[in-house]
Amino acid sequence: MRPLQAASHFLAMAAVARASYVDSLPSNAQELFSESMSWMDTFYDTEAGYLYDLSAQTALDHETRSSAWYALGLLARNEDDNVQQAEKIVNNIISGQFRNESQQWYGDYQKFPEEPAVGVSAYPSSIYNSWDPNWRGFVGTTFIMILEEFPALLSPETISAIESSLYLTAVGDTYRVGGVDSDNLYPSYSNPAIMRAFTSIYVGLSQNASNLTAAGETEAHEIIDLFSRANTLAEFNSGTYTGVSLFALTMWVKYLPEDHFMHQEGKVMIAETWRAVGQLWHAGLKNMAGPWDRAYGFDMRRYLSLLALWFWVVPEVGKEAAGLPRYPQVLSHSADYAWGPLFAVLADFHTALIPTEVLPKLTTFAGEHTFNSSAFSPPWDLVPRNISAWLADGISIGAESFEQTVVGGAVSNPSQFSPAAVQWDTGDGGIGFISWYATEPSLTATVSPYSLTLSYPRGNASSIFSLIVSPFKRQPTVSSWADLVGLRANIMTNFGVDGSSSSTYNVTYGGRNGGADEPINDFEFWNFTYVVPEGVEAPMLRLELELV
C-alpha cells in the first residue's frame, strides 16, 4: 500500500493527470466514464455541492452516496473547475458524517443533507431507512479510491479531512454485529462484509490502528472460509450485488500489499466468481440465468445491473453485448449508473483478473450446458443451498434448493429473492420470464432440460405456489398458460382437485395503474397462483416447457 501523501509531493503528476487520465483508460471504460458522467452532470447542483437525487423520486432533494461517486469522476476528468467541485462535495459529505459515539450510526454518512437529525422523536432511528449502515462502505471505499488514484489533485486539508473521516467510518463499522440492534451484517452478507473488511484493514495499516487491522483480517478470514467451501459468494448470482462484491474484491487486490493474504485471496475470489458468471451468463438472452439471490428485476435488459457495467468495460465485450440500451439511464434502478466512474477507473486492473477462458462466453453463447454448485448464508441457511441451472439456445432454467429460517432469502425479501426462474426468447425481441415468488422457508428444486420441479418439504394446506409471469408485447392480456408467447407450458401438480395431475389456478395482474397486485421492482407481471388443498404433504408443482 502506498502511504497517503500530501498533494504538494505530486505537483508534477497533476499536469499529466489533467491532460491524459481519462484518455489513458481502455476505450470501453472511457465510454462508460464519459456517458455516465455526462448524465450525472445534468443532476449536479453547483450551489449546494451535491447531486440531486438520481432516482427523481424526491422534490429536488440531494443524495450523498452518488455525490461521492460523482466527486471521484470529477477528479478523473479534471476539466475546468472539476477539482474544486470535487473537493466541495467531499467536504460537504464529511461535514454530514455522524460523530456521536453513543449512536449506532456513528461514523456513517447522511443519506441526504436535508434530512432531520437521525434519532430525534419525530425522525426515529430506523436501520436501512433513516440511516443505512452500508453507506459507510460505499462512501468509505470511494474516499479510499480518491486518495489512492488522485492525491496530487487534492489540497492537504482535504486529504487530512478524508483520512479523519475514514478513521471514523472504520470505527463506526465495528458497531455492526449481526443479530444485534436489527443489524444483519454477517460474513455471508457478501458485499458490505467485503467492503468492511477492506476499509478496516486499509485504515488500520495506513493510520497505524492495529485494532482495526486485526478486526478486518478476522472478518476477511471468515469471508474467505465461507467462499472457499464451494468457490461461491454467499450472496450468490445477483446482477447488482455480485457487481459490488467484485468492486470490493478489486480493492483488496489493488490497494493492499502484495504479500497480504487478502491481496492473494482476492485474486482467487474474483477469478472463481467470474467463472460462475461465465457459466450462468446467457449471451443470446443477454441475461444471467437463475437462481438470483438478490435481483431488482426479472430481465437485465430492463433494469440497470452492476454486472452489466462490468461487462461494458471488458475490452472483448462492451455496451451492446452487455445488453444495455443506448441510454442506460432509461432503465429501472438507473441510479446505479452512478457507479460508472468507479468501474471505469478500476477497469484496466480488474479485467486483467478475469480468467481468459471466461471472455468468449460473455459474447457468444457456448451451447447447451448445465451448472451445478452451492452457496451458504448462515445464519439464515440451515444447510447450504444447492444450485442448478440448464441453459440452451433461447432458454435458461435455474433454481436452488434451500432450508432457511426465514421466507425471502437472507434479506427476508421475496421481492428480491428469486430462487427459481425461467427465461426465454419470446421471438418478438422480448425476454419472457417465469419466477417462483418465495412463500416458503424451504424448497426442493430440480432442474432438467425444459423442466423445473418445485416441492415444499414443509408445505401444508396454507401453502401456495405463486408464479410471476412476464407481460408480452404480442399478448397484452393473459388469462391462462395458453397465452404465453414463444413458450408452451404444461403444469403438473400432486394436488389435483380430482386426484389427477392437474390443478386449478388463479391469474391476477400486478400493474402500476391497477390490478390485484403491485409491480415488483418496477416490473409488471401476471401472477399464476395455485392453492394447496387440505391433506397434501410435500406439495409439488412441475413445469414442462417447450419453445414455440
Side-chain angles (χ1 to χ4, degrees), residues 212-231:
L212 291 175
T213 305
E217 290 181 343
T218 296
E219 181 167 37
H221 280 298
E222 294 172 338
I223 294 166
I224 292 165
D225 288 347
L226 193 59
F227 183 92
S228 299
R229 191 196 60 80
N231 286 330

Side-chain angles (χ1 to χ4, degrees), residues 161-183:
I162 292 175
E163 291 174 347
S164 297
S165 176
L166 284 170
Y167 182 81
L168 290 182
T169 203
V171 172
D173 246 353
T174 66
Y175 286 30
R176 301 192 68 180
V177 179
V180 177
D181 295 328
S182 301
D183 206 310

Side-chain angles (χ1 to χ4, degrees), residues 386-461:
N386 289 321
I387 297 160
S388 56
W390 170 79
L391 295 80
D393 285 338
I395 188 170
S396 71
I397 305 173
E400 59 187 354
S401 300
F402 57 84
E403 180 79 13
Q404 297 181 323
T405 62
V406 295
V407 173
V411 289
S412 303
N413 188 343
S415 294
Q416 294 182 17
F417 185 47
S418 294
V422 179
Q423 290 179 304
W424 73 94
D425 184 348
T426 61
D428 59 0
I431 299 296
F433 59 79
I434 302 170
S435 178
W436 176 73
Y437 188 83
T439 54
E440 296 283 324
S442 61
L443 176 73
T444 299
T446 303
V447 172
S448 58
Y450 297 101
S451 177
L452 171 63
T453 302
L454 307 174
S455 178
Y456 298 162
R458 299 192 216 168
N460 53 43

Side-chain angles (χ1 to χ4, degrees), residues 116-448:
V118 175
V120 299
S121 59
Y123 193 61
S125 164
S126 177
I127 192 169
Y128 295 114
N129 291 299
S130 60
W131 67 286
D132 189 330
N134 291 342
W135 283 32
R136 294 189 188 102
F138 291 129
V139 176
T141 53
T142 305
F143 281 176
I144 291 170
M145 283 189 67
I146 285 173
L147 289 179
E148 287 287 322
E149 302 291 341
F150 307 108
L153 303 180
L154 302 174
S155 68
E157 294 78 13
T158 297
I159 289 177
S160 178
I162 292 175
E163 291 174 347
S164 297
S165 176
L166 284 170
Y167 182 81
L168 290 182
T169 203
V171 172
D173 246 353
T174 66
Y175 286 30
R176 301 192 68 180
V177 179
V180 177
D181 295 328
S182 301
D183 206 310
N184 61 340
L185 184 53
Y186 297 88
S188 56
Y189 190 7
S190 300
N191 81 90
I194 295 169
M195 286 192 292
R196 178 170 73 168
F198 166 74
T199 301
S200 183
I201 292 170
Y202 180 93
V203 174
L205 292 175
S206 62
Q207 300 191 33
N208 196 28
S210 58
N211 57 333
L212 291 175
T213 305
E217 290 181 343
T218 296
E219 181 167 37
H221 280 298
E222 294 172 338
I223 294 166
I224 292 165
D225 288 347
L226 193 59
F227 183 92
S228 299
R229 191 196 60 80
N231 286 330
T232 53
L233 293 166
E235 194 174 37
F236 182 76
N237 199 26
S238 167
T240 295
Y241 295 107
T242 298
V244 178
S245 292
L246 288 171
F247 160 78
L249 289 169
T250 304
M251 303 190 85
W252 284 25
V253 181
K254 186 172 188 183
Y255 301 133
L256 293 180
E258 291 186 4
D259 60 353
H260 195 281
F261 74 92
M262 288 170 64
H263 173 94
Q264 303 301 327
E265 293 293 339
K267 288 182 177 180
V268 173
M269 294 170 72
I270 289 170
E272 293 299 331
T273 299
W274 273 106
R275 288 190 174 99
V277 168
Q279 288 292 308
L280 289 167
W281 175 249
H282 196 306
L285 300 178
K286 296 181 179 177
N287 266 277
M288 294 291 294
W292 312 306
D293 275 355
R294 293 187 70 187
Y296 287 111
F298 307 100
D299 177 3
M300 287 172 60
R301 303 196 314 177
R302 295 174 55 196
Y303 78 93
L304 197 142
S305 71
L306 296 185
L307 268 179
L309 297 188
W310 279 125
F311 293 155
W312 185 348
V313 301
V314 175
E316 294 83 355
V317 184
K319 183 179 180 181
E320 182 178 357
L324 291 165
R326 181 178 180 184
Y327 300 110
Q329 58 266 36
V330 304
L331 297 172
S332 173
H333 218 252
S334 62
D336 275 353
Y337 196 18
W339 281 91
L342 283 69
F343 285 21
V345 168
L346 295 174
D348 200 30
F349 187 89
H350 178 85
T351 56
L353 301 174
I354 302 174
T356 54
E357 71 271 18
V358 172
L359 297 174
K361 300 173 183 177
L362 303 181
T363 54
T364 304
F365 181 57
E368 182 177 352
H369 64 276
T370 60
F371 172 86
N372 294 285
S373 189
S374 68
F376 191 34
S377 295
W380 302 281
D381 281 336
L382 299 174
V383 295
R385 306 187 307 281
N386 289 321
I387 297 160
S388 56
W390 170 79
L391 295 80
D393 285 338
I395 188 170
S396 71
I397 305 173
E400 59 187 354
S401 300
F402 57 84
E403 180 79 13
Q404 297 181 323
T405 62
V406 295
V407 173
V411 289
S412 303
N413 188 343
S415 294
Q416 294 182 17
F417 185 47
S418 294
V422 179
Q423 290 179 304
W424 73 94
D425 184 348
T426 61
D428 59 0
I431 299 296
F433 59 79
I434 302 170
S435 178
W436 176 73
Y437 188 83
T439 54
E440 296 283 324
S442 61
L443 176 73
T444 299
T446 303
V447 172
S448 58

